Amino acid sequence: MRDWRTDPAFAMCRALVDGADPASFAGGAFDVRALVAGILSGARSGLLLDAAPWGNFPHGDEVRKAVHLLRIGDDLARCAMDVLGGLCANDSRAAAALAVPFLIPIATDAQRPHRAAVLAVLSGPARARHFGVASRDGLLLHRTDPRRHASDGYDDYGVEVTGYPAGWSVAAARAAITAEAPALLPLLNDPAPAVRITAAYALATAADLDHTVRTALAARFAAEHDAMVRAALLLAAAEITRAHAHPPTVRWLRERWQDRTEAPEVRLAATVGWLCLTVQPAPEDLHQTIDTLATDERAHALDALPWMNAAAGSGEPGLRRCIRCMLHCEEPEPSDDPWVLSP
């Protein structure tokens, strides 16, 4: 396997770490934003996988092979998705971002296997460092640092482990998903609940200035009967609202967790979404809702939602981690070290 550090991209990454201005490389051969924009401007049916400059990015050859396996429906497709997800988990998402325009046609083809999993991994590079994040100010936020509120120039994300500009990867992936939102929106009505869940997860990263995605999520919620899918639709609406403020959505989420006729999974998802969208102290009825409904069994079941799965850590289910970080932040982080004895 070729060492990517011998490629010209490494020289760019090293220069950036040494203080070079990222603008001097913008729009060039190693700017994944420009390359993804070029792919998107081409004919959708004519995407040439091998023509993309995979070698310009860390782990690019691995990503190209992974996408190829998914395209042909190979038995190793599951391993291919692990490669894509693993790169994002390890904070090396540039090549995964370049893959997004090639993954969307796979996810939207009803004849393809693994569509739900493909939808989950294609939106991975659109979320910066979200694994293990479960705080009110960090969950559902695509930025690296929730304290930073710069304009969406994506230059305040820092760098990936390779030295590549993290914001460029996030911007490229989000631009691809936004451009292909019309192709992804019909998946909210897919017969498979898992596809509907991960379609919501992917669409939650789209820029939605005209509220098209938010409207589609609300419409699907009104027609949806599966409790886990309804929970996913609420979390997707909350994530979009973190990027594009919309007070009616905040009120809607509060109504959902206060509605005793809703399924427990839906009410719990609504509490998490509402907490992420406000700075208000959690009211007593929210605490009561969580104390009553957040059983261990339900917390583990909710890890089927990609948001909760990403928030999990140290052997703690995502919902439990969110409750601890959002409402009981004074409690210590649990240890997953088998050699640490319980008191």
Side-chain angles (χ1 to χ4, degrees):
M1 182 181 296
R2 185 176 64 181
D3 185 345
W4 76 270
R5 288 171 295 184
T6 63
D7 292 343
F10 181 64
M12 183 196 80
C13 293
R14 185 170 53 197
L16 292 175
V17 171
D18 290 341
D21 184 356
S24 62
F25 298 100
F30 306 110
D31 184 346
V32 70
R33 300 169 301 175
L35 295 173
V36 165
I39 293 170
L40 292 171
S41 66
R44 177 180 169 82
S45 60
L47 297 180
L48 299 178
L49 183 66
D50 290 335
W54 301 102
N56 287 10
F57 302 99
H59 309 288
D61 288 339
E62 298 170 54
V63 172
R64 181 193 61 77
K65 292 174 185 176
V67 176
H68 174 70
L69 292 175
L70 290 170
R71 273 188 159 186
I72 65 175
D74 193 274
D75 291 341
L76 296 176
R78 181 64 61 178
C79 294
M81 286 180 285
D82 289 343
V83 168
L84 296 170
L87 288 174
C88 293
N90 292 330
D91 193 27
S92 180
R93 57 182 64 80
L98 184 61
V100 174
F102 299 97
L103 293 172
I104 290 175
I106 298 172
T108 55
D109 184 346
Q111 304 306 313
R112 299 276 187 175
H114 312 300
R115 287 186 302 137
V118 173
L119 283 163
V121 299
L122 73 84
S123 56
R127 295 176 168 93
R129 294 185 191 147
H130 62 292
F131 294 98
V133 175
S135 62
R136 289 182 74 170
D137 63 352
L139 186 72
L140 307 184
L141 190 73
H142 68 82
R143 288 200 172 278
T144 299
D145 186 346
R147 297 167 298 180
R148 304 285 291 271
H149 297 288
S151 61
D152 255 351
Y154 293 94
D155 58 354
D156 64 326
Y157 283 71
V159 296
E160 299 176 5
V161 293
T162 59
Y164 192 81
W168 290 11
S169 301
V170 176
R174 290 172 71 86
I177 292 168
T178 299
E180 293 295 331
L184 293 168
L185 283 167
L187 298 182
L188 294 175
N189 302 313
D190 193 88
V195 171
R196 299 200 297 276
I197 288 171
T198 48
Y201 186 62
L203 284 163
T205 65
D208 191 37
L209 297 176
D210 61 359
H211 306 312
T212 299
V213 175
R214 191 198 317 275
T215 301
L217 293 170
R220 182 62 235 177
F221 185 87
E224 183 60 61
H225 298 291
D226 186 291
M228 203 68 77
V229 180
R230 286 171 69 82
L233 293 165
L234 290 182
L235 289 172
E239 183 171 358
I240 284 179
T241 303
R242 289 222 68 173
H244 309 290
H246 189 246
T249 296
V250 181
R251 294 193 293 271
W252 181 54
L253 288 167
R254 182 165 189 150
E255 291 167 358
R256 298 283 65 75
W257 60 256
Q258 291 178 328
D259 186 350
R260 295 177 181 270
T261 68
E262 286 284 7
E265 295 83 359
V266 179
R267 296 180 68 191
L268 288 167
T271 64
V272 171
W274 184 85
L275 286 167
C276 289
L277 295 179
T278 73
V279 294
Q280 301 175 33
E284 182 58 33
D285 55 345
L286 183 143
H287 282 280
Q288 291 174 353
T289 297
I290 288 175
D291 291 344
T292 302
L293 302 180
T295 64
D296 287 341
E297 180 180 7
R298 197 163 283 136
H300 283 287
L302 280 168
D303 270 355
L305 299 178
W307 295 270
M308 294 295 98
N309 185 267
S314 301
E316 192 176 30
L319 178 66
R320 283 280 177 227
R321 191 174 182 87
C322 287
I323 293 170
R324 179 176 58 78
C325 293
M326 294 182 183
L327 300 177
H328 307 288
C329 54
E330 75 283 354
E331 294 183 4
E333 181 91 6
S335 174
D336 57 1
D337 186 344
W339 299 106
V340 175
L341 298 177
S342 301

Short mmCIF file of all heavy atoms in Angstrom, two decimals, residues 225-252:
data_model
loop_
_atom_site.label_atom_id
_atom_site.label_comp_id
_atom_site.label_asym_id
_atom_site.label_seq_id
_atom_site.Cartn_x
_atom_site.Cartn_y
_atom_site.Cartn_z
N HIS A 225 -45.77 5.85 11.09
CA HIS A 225 -46.31 5.07 12.20
C HIS A 225 -45.23 4.35 13.00
O HIS A 225 -45.47 3.96 14.15
CB HIS A 225 -47.33 4.04 11.69
CG HIS A 225 -48.52 4.66 11.02
ND1 HIS A 225 -49.48 5.38 11.71
CD2 HIS A 225 -48.90 4.70 9.71
CE1 HIS A 225 -50.40 5.83 10.87
NE2 HIS A 225 -50.06 5.43 9.65
N ASP A 226 -44.06 4.17 12.42
CA ASP A 226 -42.97 3.47 13.12
C ASP A 226 -42.34 4.42 14.14
O ASP A 226 -41.85 5.50 13.80
CB ASP A 226 -41.93 3.01 12.10
CG ASP A 226 -40.84 2.16 12.72
OD1 ASP A 226 -40.03 2.69 13.51
OD2 ASP A 226 -40.79 0.95 12.42
N ALA A 227 -42.34 4.02 15.41
CA ALA A 227 -41.87 4.90 16.49
C ALA A 227 -40.41 5.29 16.32
O ALA A 227 -40.03 6.45 16.56
CB ALA A 227 -42.09 4.24 17.85
N MET A 228 -39.56 4.35 15.90
CA MET A 228 -38.14 4.66 15.77
C MET A 228 -37.89 5.63 14.62
O MET A 228 -37.04 6.52 14.72
CB MET A 228 -37.33 3.38 15.58
CG MET A 228 -35.88 3.51 15.97
SD MET A 228 -35.63 3.75 17.75
CE MET A 228 -35.87 2.07 18.36
N VAL A 229 -38.66 5.47 13.55
CA VAL A 229 -38.52 6.41 12.43
C VAL A 229 -39.01 7.79 12.85
O VAL A 229 -38.38 8.82 12.52
CB VAL A 229 -39.29 5.92 11.19
CG1 VAL A 229 -39.14 6.93 10.05
CG2 VAL A 229 -38.80 4.55 10.75
N ARG A 230 -40.10 7.85 13.59
CA ARG A 230 -40.60 9.14 14.07
C ARG A 230 -39.55 9.82 14.95
O ARG A 230 -39.35 11.04 14.86
CB ARG A 230 -41.91 8.93 14.86
CG ARG A 230 -43.10 8.62 13.98
CD ARG A 230 -44.32 8.19 14.79
NE ARG A 230 -44.90 9.27 15.57
CZ ARG A 230 -45.73 10.19 15.09
NH1 ARG A 230 -46.07 10.18 13.81
NH2 ARG A 230 -46.24 11.14 15.87
N ALA A 231 -38.88 9.04 15.78
CA ALA A 231 -37.81 9.60 16.61
C ALA A 231 -36.69 10.16 15.74
O ALA A 231 -36.15 11.24 16.01
CB ALA A 231 -37.28 8.54 17.56
N ALA A 232 -36.33 9.44 14.69
CA ALA A 232 -35.27 9.89 13.79
C ALA A 232 -35.67 11.20 13.09
O ALA A 232 -34.84 12.10 12.93
CB ALA A 232 -34.97 8.82 12.75
N LEU A 233 -36.91 11.31 12.69
CA LEU A 233 -37.37 12.51 12.01
C LEU A 233 -37.28 13.73 12.92
O LEU A 233 -36.93 14.84 12.48
CB LEU A 233 -38.80 12.32 11.52
CG LEU A 233 -38.98 11.28 10.40
CD1 LEU A 233 -40.45 10.90 10.26
CD2 LEU A 233 -38.43 11.79 9.07
N LEU A 234 -37.56 13.54 14.21
CA LEU A 234 -37.44 14.64 15.16
C LEU A 234 -35.99 15.07 15.34
O LEU A 234 -35.68 16.27 15.37
CB LEU A 234 -38.03 14.24 16.51
CG LEU A 234 -39.55 14.07 16.58
CD1 LEU A 234 -39.97 13.71 18.00
CD2 LEU A 234 -40.27 15.33 16.13
N LEU A 235 -35.09 14.10 15.46
CA LEU A 235 -33.68 14.44 15.62
C LEU A 235 -33.13 15.13 14.37
O LEU A 235 -32.31 16.04 14.46
CB LEU A 235 -32.87 13.19 15.96
CG LEU A 235 -33.10 12.62 17.37
CD1 LEU A 235 -32.40 11.29 17.52
CD2 LEU A 235 -32.61 13.61 18.43
N ALA A 236 -33.58 14.68 13.20
CA ALA A 236 -33.14 15.33 11.96
C ALA A 236 -33.64 16.77 11.91
O ALA A 236 -32.89 17.69 11.53
CB ALA A 236 -33.66 14.54 10.75
N ALA A 237 -34.88 16.99 12.28
CA ALA A 237 -35.42 18.35 12.30
C ALA A 237 -34.65 19.22 13.29
O ALA A 237 -34.37 20.40 13.02
CB ALA A 237 -36.90 18.32 12.65
N ALA A 238 -34.30 18.65 14.43
CA ALA A 238 -33.53 19.41 15.42
C ALA A 238 -32.15 19.74 14.90
O ALA A 238 -31.64 20.85 15.11
CB ALA A 238 -33.43 18.61 16.72
N GLU A 239 -31.51 18.80 14.20
CA GLU A 239 -30.16 19.07 13.68
C GLU A 239 -30.19 20.18 12.63
O GLU A 239 -29.32 21.07 12.63
CB GLU A 239 -29.56 17.80 13.08
CG GLU A 239 -28.14 18.00 12.60
CD GLU A 239 -27.43 16.72 12.21
OE1 GLU A 239 -28.02 15.62 12.35
OE2 GLU A 239 -26.27 16.81 11.77
N ILE A 240 -31.17 20.15 11.76
CA ILE A 240 -31.29 21.22 10.76
C ILE A 240 -31.53 22.56 11.45
O ILE A 240 -30.99 23.60 11.04
CB ILE A 240 -32.43 20.90 9.77
CG1 ILE A 240 -31.96 19.83 8.78
CG2 ILE A 240 -32.88 22.14 9.02
CD1 ILE A 240 -33.00 19.42 7.78
N THR A 241 -32.30 22.53 12.52
CA THR A 241 -32.62 23.77 13.23
C THR A 241 -31.41 24.33 13.96
O THR A 241 -31.32 25.53 14.20
CB THR A 241 -33.79 23.54 14.19
OG1 THR A 241 -34.91 23.04 13.43
CG2 THR A 241 -34.22 24.81 14.89
N ARG A 242 -30.44 23.48 14.31
CA ARG A 242 -29.20 23.99 14.89
C ARG A 242 -28.44 24.82 13.87
O ARG A 242 -27.76 25.79 14.21
CB ARG A 242 -28.30 22.84 15.37
CG ARG A 242 -28.82 22.13 16.59
CD ARG A 242 -27.73 21.82 17.59
NE ARG A 242 -27.21 23.03 18.20
CZ ARG A 242 -26.34 23.03 19.21
NH1 ARG A 242 -25.91 21.87 19.70
NH2 ARG A 242 -25.89 24.14 19.73
N ALA A 243 -28.53 24.45 12.60
CA ALA A 243 -27.83 25.19 11.54
C ALA A 243 -28.66 26.38 11.05
O ALA A 243 -28.10 27.40 10.65
CB ALA A 243 -27.51 24.26 10.38
N HIS A 244 -29.98 26.23 11.07
CA HIS A 244 -30.87 27.28 10.55
C HIS A 244 -31.99 27.47 11.58
O HIS A 244 -32.95 26.69 11.61
CB HIS A 244 -31.46 26.88 9.19
CG HIS A 244 -30.44 26.43 8.20
ND1 HIS A 244 -29.54 27.30 7.62
CD2 HIS A 244 -30.15 25.20 7.70
CE1 HIS A 244 -28.76 26.63 6.78
NE2 HIS A 244 -29.10 25.36 6.82
N ALA A 245 -31.86 28.48 12.42
CA ALA A 245 -32.79 28.69 13.52
C ALA A 245 -34.23 28.77 13.03
O ALA A 245 -34.53 29.39 11.99
CB ALA A 245 -32.43 29.97 14.27
N HIS A 246 -35.13 28.12 13.79
CA HIS A 246 -36.54 28.07 13.42
C HIS A 246 -37.35 27.84 14.69
O HIS A 246 -37.61 26.71 15.09
CB HIS A 246 -36.78 26.92 12.42
CG HIS A 246 -38.14 26.92 11.82
ND1 HIS A 246 -39.06 25.92 12.05
CD2 HIS A 246 -38.76 27.81 10.98
CE1 HIS A 246 -40.17 26.17 11.39
NE2 HIS A 246 -40.01 27.30 10.73
N PRO A 247 -37.74 28.94 15.38
CA PRO A 247 -38.45 28.81 16.67
C PRO A 247 -39.65 27.87 16.65
O PRO A 247 -39.88 27.15 17.64
CB PRO A 247 -38.85 30.26 16.98
CG PRO A 247 -37.80 31.08 16.31
CD PRO A 247 -37.48 30.35 15.03
N PRO A 248 -40.46 27.80 15.56
CA PRO A 248 -41.59 26.86 15.58
C PRO A 248 -41.15 25.41 15.77
O PRO A 248 -41.89 24.62 16.38
CB PRO A 248 -42.24 27.08 14.21
CG PRO A 248 -41.91 28.48 13.85
CD PRO A 248 -40.51 28.69 14.36
N THR A 249 -39.98 25.05 15.27
CA THR A 249 -39.50 23.69 15.47
C THR A 249 -39.17 23.43 16.93
O THR A 249 -39.43 22.34 17.45
CB THR A 249 -38.26 23.42 14.59
OG1 THR A 249 -38.63 23.51 13.22
CG2 THR A 249 -37.68 22.03 14.85
N VAL A 250 -38.63 24.42 17.61
CA VAL A 250 -38.34 24.28 19.04
C VAL A 250 -39.64 24.03 19.81
O VAL A 250 -39.72 23.14 20.67
CB VAL A 250 -37.62 25.52 19.58
CG1 VAL A 250 -37.29 25.35 21.06
CG2 VAL A 250 -36.34 25.79 18.77
N ARG A 251 -40.67 24.79 19.49
CA ARG A 251 -41.96 24.61 20.16
C ARG A 251 -42.57 23.25 19.81
O ARG A 251 -43.15 22.58 20.67
CB ARG A 251 -42.92 25.73 19.75
CG ARG A 251 -42.50 27.11 20.24
CD ARG A 251 -43.64 28.12 20.09
NE ARG A 251 -43.95 28.39 18.69
CZ ARG A 251 -43.35 29.34 17.97
NH1 ARG A 251 -42.41 30.10 18.51
NH2 ARG A 251 -43.69 29.53 16.71
N TRP A 252 -42.40 22.84 18.56
CA TRP A 252 -42.93 21.54 18.11
C TRP A 252 -42.28 20.40 18.89
O TRP A 252 -42.97 19.47 19.32
CB TRP A 252 -42.68 21.41 16.62
CG TRP A 252 -43.18 20.15 15.98
CD1 TRP A 252 -44.45 19.65 16.03
CD2 TRP A 252 -42.43 19.23 15.18
NE1 TRP A 252 -44.54 18.49 15.31
CE2 TRP A 252 -43.31 18.21 14.77
CE3 TRP A 252 -41.09 19.20 14.76
CZ2 TRP A 252 -42.90 17.15 13.97
CZ3 TRP A 252 -40.69 18.15 13.96
CH2 TRP A 252 -41.57 17.13 13.57
#
